[in-house]
Amino acid sequence: MADTLRALAERCIRVLGPESVITDPVRLRTYDCDGLTSHRASPGLVVLPETAEQIAAIVRACIEAGVPYVARGSGTGLSGGALPRTDGVLIVTARMRRILDIDVANQRAVVEPGVINLDVTRAARPHGYYFAPDPSSQQVCSVGGNVAENSGGAHCLKYGFTAHHILASEIVTPDGEVVELSRDDPGFDLLGVFVGSEGTLGITTKVTVRLTRLPQTVQTLLAAFDTIEQGGEAVSAIIAAGVVPAAIEMMDALSIKAAEAAVACGYPEGAGAVLVVELDGPEATVAHQFAEVGRLCREAGAFEIRVAADDTERALIWKGRKSAFAAMGRISPAYIVQDGVIPRTALGEVLGRIDALSRESGVRVANVFHAGDGNLHPLVLFDDAVPGAQERAEKVSGAILDLCIEQGGSITGEHGVGVDKARYMLRMFSDDDLDTMQMVRCGFDPAGLCNPGKVFPTPRLCGEVPGVRKGPHPLVAEGKADLF
């Protein structure tokens, strides 16, 4: 395999130039994981293309050599979706960072995949628009990665996920062809299939995003509660009242402690939980809803409510929440983050059971989550220098995902499955479900070279050996589907 990669590296150098091909083992270590550092693998080869044509040429070279390849954006993913292959090529799109067009008349922008999420809003804001999807990592995550993972964010409660804001995407298919998928295409919604496919169906090279008009007014409040259960009651009451805030975010006492240590956000002292609620829209509507939200928070037991008087105070309220993941380094050497989803009505019960799991196992769990849509982000803390600590943390992390499934929820809301949650797919989906998904994947990538080993627990239909099934898939046997 070393000889194959060496020959492939020489071919890549002819396409990209020597400065865009990395073979040095020390430099390769830079790319051995994404934001989920518990999964690592040093790539066999790293390339840094700057055009779709270059990516297509690299993909065709990989196909001819029979070498797997993985796409990577900013590397901020939290499920190991961009984990490289030691025997493969990592295609990094970070140099493709041009905003090609801001089309105000049609409320859209065209960007390359390496463009940072927040930079789209910065470019559109002078025209009265912004890019609504806002992952907590929006200052560093790239649009291409957002497309791959169908990223969400604090404001997805009202505005939806990345998929709701992508109008078209130019991609390099797994056979090395450059094509465009669009919402306007007749027939099957291939763009809808592609967004959120975690890099298994091709590589994004250009994206047309929907721009959203800036709201007339924005109001943000911070409500502090003695317990997280009280905060959950407030969330349920707000939604039940018919109010749909732009965002409802919650943090528990442990995550507040970490945020205070990291960024001195000044949240109310002694709070067992804080709720960040943001409303936007016409002034009269926001004023009415804001009064209602304040009343419901007080009735649920809020002992302090702060209202942001201006953008500076609003930014300070959000600073603690947006910094929560990175802040965990102040209170723990390592952590595992999950993003299971549960019904909002189950918040109190599930949070109580997570607390019980933490006490029984002796493993600390900090809770930060999108409370409005039940998207939990439990951070399972551990010291990776202590033997067995990571295994105990992984056990608690898995038990939390089992809780989400038990409540009729999902193992992921926005971080993706990647390698981290692939083994849990069997708990959420039947064999027939997984086979159907795999057949779609095989339709795009029959050779199985495009980000292999991600999402699915066992490759079953693309001619790969691992898997439980011994005979052909029933649909294949009946002549209703083709086995590539």
Side-chain angles (χ1 to χ4, degrees):
M1 193 62 197
D3 290 340
T4 302
L5 283 175
R6 236 184 328 267
L8 190 56
E10 291 173 2
R11 182 169 176 178
C12 291
I13 288 172
R14 290 196 294 272
V15 173
L16 305 176
E19 70 286 348
S20 298
V21 179
I22 300 174
T23 57
D24 176 61
V26 175
R27 294 180 65 196
L28 290 175
R29 290 293 301 275
T30 302
Y31 301 93
D32 68 1
C33 69
D34 57 14
L36 185 72
T37 58
S38 56
H39 294 274
R40 293 180 180 273
S42 186
L45 176 67
V46 171
V47 296
L48 296 124
E50 297 183 25
T51 68
E53 290 71 25
Q54 289 177 342
I55 292 179
I58 298 302
V59 168
R60 290 193 294 270
C62 289
I63 294 169
E64 291 174 20
V67 171
Y69 58 91
V70 177
R72 173 188 168 113
S74 294
T76 60
L78 292 168
S79 63
L83 185 73
R85 294 274 299 223
T86 58
D87 59 347
V89 177
L90 188 67
I91 301 174
V92 181
T93 61
R95 290 183 177 175
M96 301 174 70
R97 300 182 70 164
R98 293 182 300 162
I99 295 177
L100 301 172
D101 185 33
I102 298 291
D103 183 353
V104 177
N106 291 299
Q107 300 182 0
R108 60 183 61 189
V110 181
V111 304
E112 291 184 327
V115 170
I116 299 304
N117 177 291
L118 188 57
D119 286 345
V120 182
T121 287
R122 287 172 174 154
R125 189 177 293 276
H127 305 284
Y129 291 86
Y130 73 111
F131 185 45
D134 62 337
S136 294
S137 58
Q138 70 174 148
Q139 295 187 26
V140 289
C141 67
S142 60
V143 174
N146 295 165
V147 171
E149 301 294 340
N150 190 21
S151 302
H155 291 82
C156 64
L157 173 62
K158 181 175 181 179
Y159 292 101
F161 290 77
T162 297
H164 300 102
H165 301 271
I166 303 300
L167 302 174
S169 181
E170 179 188 83
I171 73 167
V172 171
T173 65
D175 59 2
E177 183 182 0
V178 181
V179 303
E180 179 163 298
L181 306 178
S182 172
R183 293 288 181 204
D184 298 327
D185 291 341
F188 295 116
D189 181 14
L190 296 179
L191 180 62
V193 172
F194 184 82
V195 176
S197 61
E198 303 191 30
T200 63
L201 305 184
I203 301 174
T204 303
T205 54
K206 186 167 63 178
V207 189
T208 302
V209 305
R210 185 194 310 277
L211 298 178
T212 302
R213 187 177 291 279
L214 290 167
Q216 184 179 24
T217 188
V218 179
Q219 286 282 354
T220 307
L221 69 76
L222 177 76
F225 300 87
D226 292 317
T227 68
I228 200 165
E229 289 79 10
Q230 290 175 328
E233 290 174 12
V235 172
S236 296
I238 290 168
I239 300 299
V243 177
V244 182
I248 309 181
E249 300 288 299
M250 190 183 291
M251 299 170 63
D252 70 2
L254 195 53
S255 58
I256 295 168
K257 177 183 176 182
E260 290 291 354
V263 298
C265 48
Y267 289 169
E269 190 173 344
V274 295
L275 202 63
V276 177
V277 184
E278 187 158 279
L279 295 157
D280 65 14
E283 283 190 24
T285 302
V286 169
H288 172 73
Q289 292 183 338
F290 206 70
E292 183 75 353
V293 167
R295 179 183 67 80
L296 293 170
C297 286
R298 284 188 290 272
E299 288 181 356
F303 67 81
E304 183 176 340
I305 294 179
R306 297 179 184 174
V307 179
D310 51 34
D311 286 345
T312 301
E313 291 187 6
R314 177 182 172 229
L316 186 60
I317 286 176
W318 276 109
K319 188 176 183 179
R321 169 61 187 92
K322 290 280 188 177
S323 304
F325 285 11
M328 289 300 148
R330 296 300 184 102
I331 62 172
S332 177
Y335 67 82
I336 299 170
V337 60
Q338 290 296 0
D339 72 318
V341 182
I342 59 172
R344 286 186 295 262
T345 52
L347 271 175
E349 178 185 350
V350 171
L351 290 171
R353 292 175 67 180
I354 290 174
D355 183 59
L357 278 171
S358 176
R359 285 186 280 103
E360 291 165 7
S361 64
V363 176
R364 293 183 299 165
V365 180
N367 289 289
V368 182
F369 53 97
H370 306 315
D373 55 1
N375 189 184
L376 307 180
H377 290 320
L379 297 131
V380 184
L381 311 181
F382 66 97
D383 185 344
D384 50 1
V386 176
Q390 180 168 334
E391 290 74 15
R392 289 191 294 274
E394 288 175 350
K395 185 176 180 180
V396 171
S397 177
I400 292 172
L401 290 182
D402 286 339
L403 277 177
C404 294
I405 296 171
E406 178 187 318
Q407 293 291 333
S410 169
I411 60 174
T412 178
E414 57 183 345
H415 293 172
V417 176
V419 295
D420 187 50
K421 301 187 186 73
R423 63 190 183 278
Y424 296 103
M425 292 284 278
L426 287 166
R427 304 183 191 182
M428 186 171 172
F429 298 103
S430 70
D431 283 351
D432 287 344
D433 291 333
L434 293 172
D435 284 348
T436 301
M437 296 179 202
Q438 279 279 44
M439 292 176 79
V440 172
R441 179 173 183 171
C442 293
F444 278 79
D445 181 27
L449 296 177
C450 186
N451 205 13
K454 310 294 170 58
V455 182
F456 298 103
T458 52
R460 292 142 70 93
L461 289 175
C462 296
E464 298 168 282
V465 175
V468 176
R469 189 176 299 285
K470 300 301 182 183
H473 186 276
L475 293 179
V476 175
E478 293 172 17
K480 297 179 180 178
D482 294 322
L483 179 62
F484 294 93

Short mmCIF file of all heavy atoms in Angstrom, two decimals, residues 90 263 387 446 467:
data_model
loop_
_atom_site.label_atom_id
_atom_site.label_comp_id
_atom_site.label_asym_id
_atom_site.label_seq_id
_atom_site.Cartn_x
_atom_site.Cartn_y
_atom_site.Cartn_z
N LEU A 90 -6.78 12.25 2.30
CA LEU A 90 -7.65 13.23 2.93
C LEU A 90 -7.67 14.47 2.05
O LEU A 90 -6.63 15.10 1.81
CB LEU A 90 -7.13 13.59 4.34
CG LEU A 90 -8.06 14.47 5.19
CD1 LEU A 90 -9.33 13.71 5.56
CD2 LEU A 90 -7.35 14.95 6.45
N VAL A 263 -14.79 32.29 30.28
CA VAL A 263 -15.07 33.57 29.62
C VAL A 263 -15.70 34.62 30.53
O VAL A 263 -16.04 35.71 30.09
CB VAL A 263 -15.97 33.37 28.37
CG1 VAL A 263 -15.28 32.50 27.35
CG2 VAL A 263 -17.33 32.79 28.75
N PRO A 387 -6.43 5.23 33.99
CA PRO A 387 -6.80 3.97 33.31
C PRO A 387 -8.28 3.64 33.51
O PRO A 387 -8.79 3.70 34.64
CB PRO A 387 -5.90 2.93 33.99
CG PRO A 387 -4.73 3.70 34.49
CD PRO A 387 -5.29 5.04 34.90
N PRO A 446 -20.66 2.96 -5.81
CA PRO A 446 -20.59 1.49 -5.86
C PRO A 446 -19.23 0.93 -5.47
O PRO A 446 -19.14 -0.19 -4.97
CB PRO A 446 -20.95 1.16 -7.31
CG PRO A 446 -20.72 2.41 -8.08
CD PRO A 446 -21.01 3.53 -7.13
N GLY A 467 -20.21 -7.86 7.46
CA GLY A 467 -21.66 -7.73 7.50
C GLY A 467 -22.32 -8.97 8.05
O GLY A 467 -21.76 -10.06 8.06
#
